Amino acid sequence: MLYSEVEFPVRYYETDQMGIVHHSNYIRYFETCRSKMMAENGYPVERCEEEGTLFPIVSIECRYLYPARMGDVLTVSAKVEKKPLAKFTFEQEVRNQRGEVCARGTVVVGFLDKKTGRPCRCPEGLASLFDE
Amino acid sequence: MLYSEVEFPVRYYETDQMGIVHHSNYIRYFETCRSKMMAENGYPVERCEEEGTLFPIVSIECRYLYPARMGDVLTVSAKVEKKPLAKFTFEQEVRNQRGEVCARGTVVVGFLDKKTGRPCRCPEGLASLFDE
Amino acid sequence: MLYSEVEFPVRYYETDQMGIVHHSNYIRYFETCRSKMMAENGYPVERCEEEGTLFPIVSIECRYLYPARMGDVLTVSAKVEKKPLAKFTFEQEVRNQRGEVCARGTVVVGFLDKKTGRPCRCPEGLASLFDE
Amino acid sequence: MLYSEVEFPVRYYETDQMGIVHHSNYIRYFETCRSKMMAENGYPVERCEEEGTLFPIVSIECRYLYPARMGDVLTVSAKVEKKPLAKFTFEQEVRNQRGEVCARGTVVVGFLDKKTGRPCRCPEGLASLFDE
């Protein structure tokens, strides 16, 4: 299993005229935490891309439970339980500074060979993190 | 049933370093079409908000089928089949100029009373559009 | 001289909690109109990039004169008066449906050779549009 | 004089298909640091807004000096040298982890009375920070 967290304050431009964080930003928060997870485990996204593997999003599902607001400090988490073969499945969550869950979601990410443009398997080193 | 479409070209800032439209933007495209549907039916979002009803997002689900790219002209659609009571369920789609479906999703939107901050029922006039 | 305009409604996600279009979006609106100008004149950005020329931003200057809001339909314009050599200078404007100028700015764009990563001159065909 | 800094990694969605951080995001980075400065000095933006003062942007000027990329950790700074009366003038900068200046700009922010919608003077407590 891999698990990562990242903490950051809400940015003003992320709010909308309802006075809360616009729902599309949670999708971006999820990504920010996945990037951190990749880097923490020695596979920064940008290096994987350079070495030939792209990570296209296959699907996203998100439930919005509690609005985040300007002034909040959010903790975003990402968890991968199963060893990825053709796909990565991330369980993701956004909590505020009081521990309230703002959003919870699942993101499925595929692997694409940059040269051929075709789906490929998870890079071996990345998959092997799950063997430990 | 309500159905609306909106057409627009991809904007450069919507692309990411994979060279495709970043996946979070489809969530925004979906919204852009919902806003158009509301306005076309006499209920522009901004007027509903002024009159006291907010439309918080309950959940989102999106499958990514084909990447959109700079130069593409996208058609985004929104369809509501059931009369909304406590929630609106929108079926949404993004197609490119060749008719390829780039993304398909479902967005559930609730109703919130601006004054009380509590969930409320669909404004009557909006619900009555489904009686015709 | 080159001149282009593009018209579009404000998108909900572009608003912020002040209830107006967030100031960073005007910078994006400017770009959207520059892209249209390039395409209208036979040089779509994405094709120029493919053929080896990138268009990095050198500088931006924008004065905010009147807030744009949800429900507004904006007209964005871009004007280039001088034949570009090492740089393109765009005069840009955003007006609302009542003709009020929301923002006015100047954007300077350079030319970069994609292979060498070094500044280059304006692609000849693009420059020659100003000879007519 | 007031001075603040904030450090954060580039987020993937901030990149564009040139493979660099899209230029509009520096405008957002600037804001993120201004918000931090306000909070650090006891005047979080959201509280000022609640208490009746809005901070509309008057003008922005930004020179782009060096591209930021995915993997970079940016330090954004904001400096106010003069006591604000009708306007705040922020000198802003974005540097990468090697100290290279990516962008440098000036942002002028006004004060607006939320109730009347008219320009007003800087809230007294905020102005008095410059008397120390």
Side-chain angles (χ1 to χ4, degrees):
Chain A
M1 195 199 78
L2 296 181
Y3 181 83
S4 288
E5 281 190 358
V6 58
E7 192 187 284
F8 49 74
V10 165
R11 298 177 175 182
Y12 193 86
Y13 70 81
E14 295 172 335
T15 63
D16 65 22
Q17 70 178 38
M18 262 196 272
I20 58 177
V21 168
H22 190 269
H23 65 281
S24 60
N25 291 311
Y26 295 85
I27 307 304
R28 298 182 166 192
Y29 294 163
F30 287 168
E31 176 187 76
T32 300
C33 189
R34 293 195 304 276
S35 297
K36 192 180 175 214
M37 180 190 272
M38 298 283 285
E40 275 178 353
N41 286 285
Y43 290 87
V45 182
E46 65 276 12
R47 217 195 60 206
C48 293
E49 288 188 353
E50 259 177 52
E51 294 176 357
T53 309
L54 301 178
F55 300 95
I57 304 296
V58 173
S59 67
I60 271 190
E61 180 267 308
C62 184
R63 279 150 296 137
Y64 297 90
L65 303 165
Y66 193 86
R69 293 176 190 279
M70 188 62 191
D72 283 351
V73 177
L74 304 176
T75 299
V76 187
S77 66
K79 186 169 66 174
V80 184
E81 292 197 280
K82 275 200 296 187
K83 181 169 174 162
L85 296 170
K87 290 170 191 173
F88 245 135
T89 300
F90 294 86
E91 297 300 328
Q92 306 220 239
E93 209 172 82
V94 178
R95 275 168 287 131
N96 65 19
Q97 67 280 6
R98 292 180 301 277
E100 289 156 322
V101 178
C102 297
R104 199 172 269 142
T106 305
V107 181
V108 179
V109 181
F111 307 102
L112 204 67
D113 187 297
K114 203 179 169 179
K115 273 187 218 146
T116 65
R118 300 204 147 270
C120 60
R121 293 185 64 122
C122 179
E124 210 170 310
L126 195 52
S128 74
L129 289 171
F130 290 82
D131 298 334
E132 290 155 25
Chain B
M1 195 199 77
L2 296 180
Y3 181 83
S4 289
E5 281 189 359
V6 57
E7 191 186 286
F8 49 75
V10 166
R11 299 176 175 182
Y12 194 86
Y13 69 81
E14 296 172 335
T15 63
D16 65 22
Q17 69 177 38
M18 260 194 275
I20 59 178
V21 169
H22 189 268
H23 64 282
S24 59
N25 292 311
Y26 295 86
I27 307 304
R28 299 182 165 193
Y29 294 163
F30 286 168
E31 176 186 76
T32 300
C33 189
R34 293 195 306 274
S35 297
K36 194 183 173 208
M37 179 190 273
M38 298 282 286
E40 275 178 354
N41 286 285
Y43 290 88
V45 182
E46 64 275 12
R47 218 195 59 207
C48 293
E49 289 188 352
E50 259 177 52
E51 294 175 357
T53 309
L54 301 178
F55 300 96
I57 303 297
V58 174
S59 66
I60 272 190
E61 181 267 308
C62 183
R63 279 151 294 136
Y64 297 90
L65 303 165
Y66 193 86
R69 292 176 191 279
M70 188 62 193
D72 283 351
V73 178
L74 304 177
T75 299
V76 186
S77 66
K79 187 169 64 174
V80 184
E81 292 197 280
K82 275 199 296 187
K83 180 170 175 163
L85 294 170
K87 289 170 191 171
F88 246 134
T89 300
F90 294 86
E91 297 300 329
Q92 307 221 239
E93 209 172 82
V94 178
R95 274 168 288 129
N96 66 19
Q97 66 281 5
R98 293 179 302 276
E100 290 156 321
V101 179
C102 297
R104 198 172 271 143
T106 305
V107 181
V108 179
V109 181
F111 306 102
L112 204 67
D113 186 297
K114 204 180 170 179
K115 274 187 218 147
T116 65
R118 300 203 148 271
C120 59
R121 292 185 64 121
C122 179
E124 210 171 310
L126 194 52
S128 74
L129 291 170
F130 289 82
D131 298 334
E132 289 154 27
Chain C
M1 196 199 76
L2 296 181
Y3 181 83
S4 288
E5 280 189 0
V6 57
E7 192 186 285
F8 49 74
V10 165
R11 298 177 176 181
Y12 193 86
Y13 69 80
E14 295 172 336
T15 62
D16 64 23
Q17 69 177 38
M18 263 196 272
I20 59 177
V21 168
H22 189 268
H23 65 282
S24 60
N25 291 312
Y26 295 86
I27 306 304
R28 298 182 165 192
Y29 293 163
F30 287 168
E31 176 186 77
T32 300
C33 189
R34 293 196 304 277
S35 297
K36 193 181 173 211
M37 179 190 272
M38 299 282 286
E40 275 178 354
N41 286 284
Y43 289 87
V45 181
E46 65 276 13
R47 218 195 59 207
C48 292
E49 288 187 352
E50 260 177 51
E51 293 175 358
T53 309
L54 301 178
F55 300 95
I57 304 297
V58 173
S59 67
I60 272 191
E61 181 266 308
C62 183
R63 278 151 295 136
Y64 297 90
L65 303 165
Y66 192 85
R69 293 177 191 278
M70 189 60 193
D72 284 350
V73 178
L74 303 176
T75 300
V76 186
S77 66
K79 186 168 65 174
V80 184
E81 292 197 281
K82 275 199 297 188
K83 180 170 175 164
L85 295 170
K87 290 170 191 172
F88 246 135
T89 300
F90 294 86
E91 297 299 330
Q92 307 221 238
E93 210 172 80
V94 178
R95 274 169 288 129
N96 66 20
Q97 67 281 6
R98 293 180 301 276
E100 290 157 320
V101 178
C102 297
R104 198 173 270 141
T106 305
V107 181
V108 179
V109 181
F111 306 102
L112 205 67
D113 187 298
K114 203 179 169 180
K115 272 188 220 146
T116 65
R118 300 203 147 271
C120 60
R121 293 185 63 122
C122 180
E124 212 171 309
L126 194 52
S128 73
L129 290 170
F130 289 82
D131 298 334
E132 288 154 28
Chain D
M1 195 198 78
L2 296 180
Y3 181 83
S4 289
E5 281 189 0
V6 57
E7 192 187 286
F8 49 75
V10 166
R11 298 177 176 181
Y12 193 86
Y13 69 80
E14 296 172 334
T15 62
D16 64 22
Q17 70 177 36
M18 262 196 271
I20 59 176
V21 169
H22 189 267
H23 65 283
S24 60
N25 291 312
Y26 295 86
I27 306 304
R28 298 181 165 193
Y29 294 163
F30 287 168
E31 176 186 77
T32 299
C33 189
R34 292 196 305 276
S35 298
K36 194 184 173 208
M37 179 190 272
M38 298 282 286
E40 275 178 354
N41 286 284
Y43 290 87
V45 182
E46 64 277 12
R47 218 195 59 206
C48 293
E49 288 188 353
E50 260 177 51
E51 294 176 356
T53 310
L54 301 178
F55 301 95
I57 304 297
V58 173
S59 66
I60 272 191
E61 181 266 307
C62 183
R63 279 150 295 136
Y64 297 90
L65 302 165
Y66 193 86
R69 292 175 192 279
M70 188 60 192
D72 283 351
V73 178
L74 304 177
T75 299
V76 186
S77 66
K79 186 169 66 174
V80 184
E81 291 197 280
K82 275 200 296 188
K83 180 169 174 163
L85 295 170
K87 289 170 191 172
F88 245 135
T89 300
F90 293 86
E91 297 300 328
Q92 307 220 239
E93 209 173 83
V94 177
R95 274 168 288 129
N96 66 20
Q97 67 281 5
R98 291 179 302 276
E100 289 156 323
V101 178
C102 297
R104 199 173 269 143
T106 305
V107 180
V108 179
V109 181
F111 306 102
L112 204 67
D113 186 298
K114 204 179 168 180
K115 275 187 218 145
T116 65
R118 300 202 148 271
C120 59
R121 293 184 64 122
C122 180
E124 211 171 309
L126 195 52
S128 73
L129 291 171
F130 290 82
D131 298 333
E132 290 154 28

